[in-house]
Amino acid sequence: MKKRIFSGAQPTGQLHLGNYLGALKNWVALQNEYESFFCIVNLHAITLPQDPQVLRQKTLDLARIYLAAGLDPEVSTIFIQSDIAEHAELTWVLSCSSRMGELERMTQFKDKGKGNSERAGVGLFTYPVLMAADILLYQTHLVPVGKDQKQHLELARDLAERFNRDFGRTFVVPDPFIPPVGANILSLQEPAKKMSKSDENPNGAIFLLDDPDTITKKIKRAVTDSGTTVEYDEARPAISNLLTIYHLMTGRTIEESQAHFEGRGYGHFKAELAEAVVEFLKPFQEKAQSYTDDELNRILKAGAEKARVIARETLRDVYAKMGIVGAV
Ligand code: AMP
Ligand code: TRP
C-alpha cells in the first residue's frame, strides 16, 4: 500500500511564491508517489477575524490555486476542512491530552498573538491541536510543509505518540517533509523575515496572482546586501534569497546560476529574475482562471466524500479505545 501525505494551506490573504516554493511545489512533486490529501483549512483561518464574504470566496480561490499549481484531482484528494466534522471532534480529544506548556512554547502563537496572551484568541492558542487532528485523522506518514510549520509538526508527533502509549497503537506518527531549498523564502523588503501573507508591506511578497508589471516592480525594488556579485552566501541573505528563487523557478542549479550571472550586476540579475517569475506565473494564472465555480465545487465534494470515509474510521477507533460510547 502507498504511504499517505497530508498538507494544507489557509484560505486567507493571497498565496505567494513562498507558499508555492515551500509547500505546493512539493505537494505536486509527491502526489503520485503517495496517497495524497490536500486540505483547504478554513477552520484554521478563523483563528484570526475573517470577513464571511471574503472567506467564502477565498476558499474556492484556494482550490483554484491548488489545481493551477498542478494538483490533479484524479490523483489527489482535495477537500475543505469544515466538510469533515471529524477534524473538530478529534481536536477536542487531542486538546485533552495537550499541555498548556507545550502550546505556550509555539512560536507562531507568540508571533500572531503579538505576545499578548491575555487578548489572544483561544483558537489561536489551540490552532496546532487542530493541525495535529488534520494530520492524524488520515494516518499520515509524511507532511510536506515550509520551515515555519516544523514546530507544529513536532507537536503532532508528540500527541500521536502519547495517545498510542496510553490507548494502544492508533495513529501513524507523521514525519515532516521540509524541502532542503525553498522552505523559508524571505521577504523581498526585510530579508530577516519570511515572505508572508500578512506582511504590512505588499512589496515584500510576490503573490501568485500578481500581474507582470507588479512582479517586475517588486523585484526591482527588492533590497540587496552590500556587495555587487550575484553569489549565494549565508552572510548575504537578500541576494541568496533572490538566487534561490531564480534557481527554483528556472531549474538551473545555484552554481549554474552564479556562473550565468558572473561579471553582471544586480540590475541585470533582477531583470532576468523578473522575466523568469513572470514566465512561470503566466500559465499558472491562466490555468487558475480557467475553472468555473461549479467545477471546483464538484472536485471539492468528491474529495470530501473520499476523505470522510477515512476520517470516520480513525475517529471511531479513537472513541472505542477511549471508552467513549453513545446510546445511538
Ligand atoms: P499558510 O499560508 O500559512 O497556510 O502556509 C501554507 C504553506 O506554505 C505551509 O506549508 C507553510 O509552511 C508554507 N510557507 C508559508 N510561508 C512560506 C515561506 N515564506 N517560505 C516557504 N514556505 C512557506
Ligand atoms: N498551519 C498550516 C499553515 O499555516 C496549515 C495547516 C493546517 C496544515 N493543517 C495542516 C499544514 C496539516 C500541514 C498539515 O501553514
Side-chain angles (χ1 to χ4, degrees):
M1 257 194 22
K2 276 187 179 173
K3 290 192 167 178
R4 288 208 182 119
I5 55 180
F6 183 101
S7 198
Q10 300 187 55
T12 55
Q14 296 198 58
L15 262 75
H16 49 69
L17 268 186
N19 295 126
Y20 176 75
L21 298 173
L24 271 88
K25 187 171 190 270
N26 301 308
W27 303 357
V28 173
L30 294 166
Q31 67 179 337
N32 286 300
E33 204 183 316
Y34 288 80
E35 190 185 349
S36 308
F37 294 83
F38 299 109
C39 190
I40 296 170
V41 294
N42 56 350
L43 297 176
H44 277 101
I46 59 165
T47 54
L48 292 174
Q50 303 297 334
D51 178 294
Q53 199 77 14
V54 176
L55 181 58
R56 190 176 296 128
Q57 185 60 46
K58 294 262 174 200
T59 302
L60 269 197
D61 286 347
L62 188 52
R64 250 179 258 287
I65 300 251
Y66 281 9
L67 295 169
L71 291 185
D72 178 352
E74 301 291 320
V75 172
S76 297
T77 303
I78 303 171
F79 69 104
I80 302 173
Q81 189 182 33
S82 62
D83 272 333
I84 312 296
E86 283 78 2
H87 289 242
E89 285 187 74
L90 184 61
T91 300
W92 174 252
V93 172
L94 295 175
S95 72
C96 294
S97 63
S98 303
R99 298 171 186 143
M100 296 290 289
E102 61 194 352
L103 295 185
E104 271 161 7
R105 281 196 293 278
M106 296 287 143
T107 56
Q108 186 175 293
F109 171 67
K110 291 187 214 166
D111 291 348
K112 290 199 181 178
K114 301 196 168 75
N116 186 350
S117 61
E118 278 296 311
R119 288 201 54 85
V122 172
L124 198 59
F125 186 64
T126 56
Y127 170 121
V129 184
L130 176 58
M131 179 163 161
D134 295 341
I135 296 166
L136 301 184
L137 267 181
Y138 298 93
Q139 307 293 352
T140 304
H141 298 90
L142 200 67
V143 185
V145 282
K147 197 169 139 216
D148 60 346
Q149 298 302 316
K150 186 163 183 267
Q151 201 186 21
H152 292 160
L153 223 41
E154 277 157 16
L155 177 77
R157 287 176 61 86
D158 289 346
L159 293 178
E161 279 166 358
R162 196 171 299 159
F163 194 97
N164 288 348
R165 183 199 65 204
D166 293 345
F167 299 102
R169 225 199 76 66
T170 307
F171 295 121
V172 169
V173 179
D175 283 317
F177 175 92
I178 296 173
V181 186
N184 190 29
I185 299 293
L186 306 174
S187 159
L188 303 185
Q189 289 297 318
E190 285 177 82
K193 298 200 308 201
K194 65 175 181 179
M195 188 176 282
S196 156
K197 287 174 175 173
S198 52
D199 199 333
E200 278 135 39
N201 185 346
N203 287 326
I206 293 174
F207 298 115
L208 299 176
L209 300 181
D210 274 348
D211 61 57
D213 262 7
T214 309
I215 294 170
T216 307
K217 275 197 200 119
K218 284 179 177 177
I219 291 178
K220 267 200 189 133
R221 285 185 196 149
V223 303
T224 41
D225 319 87
S226 57
T228 52
T229 52
V230 181
E231 276 174 315
Y232 193 94
D233 175 358
E234 308 252 298
R236 294 165 68 206
I239 195 71
S240 301
N241 187 47
L242 295 177
L243 203 52
T244 300
I245 296 175
Y246 183 84
H247 152 58
L248 292 169
M249 291 273 99
T250 61
R252 285 187 172 169
T253 65
I254 296 276
E255 290 73 27
E256 283 164 357
S257 309
Q258 286 178 164
H260 179 69
F261 292 111
E262 201 180 331
R264 295 185 174 144
Y266 285 164
H268 180 100
F269 168 58
K270 283 181 167 180
E272 273 202 36
L273 174 61
E275 211 173 293
V277 174
V278 167
E279 275 309 293
F280 175 81
L281 287 180
K282 200 167 151 238
F284 178 95
Q285 294 176 354
E286 281 165 7
K287 196 165 174 207
Q289 269 134 29
S290 72
Y291 298 96
T292 64
D293 286 5
D294 275 355
E295 273 174 290
L296 297 171
N297 280 316
R298 256 200 312 277
I299 290 169
L300 294 168
K301 191 159 174 265
E305 272 153 22
K306 278 203 251 166
R308 184 171 296 118
V309 177
I310 300 166
R312 283 213 172 130
E313 198 181 318
T314 302
L315 191 71
R316 199 176 302 134
D317 185 29
V318 166
Y319 279 172
K321 289 211 168 95
M322 299 180 82
I324 296 191
V325 287
V328 287

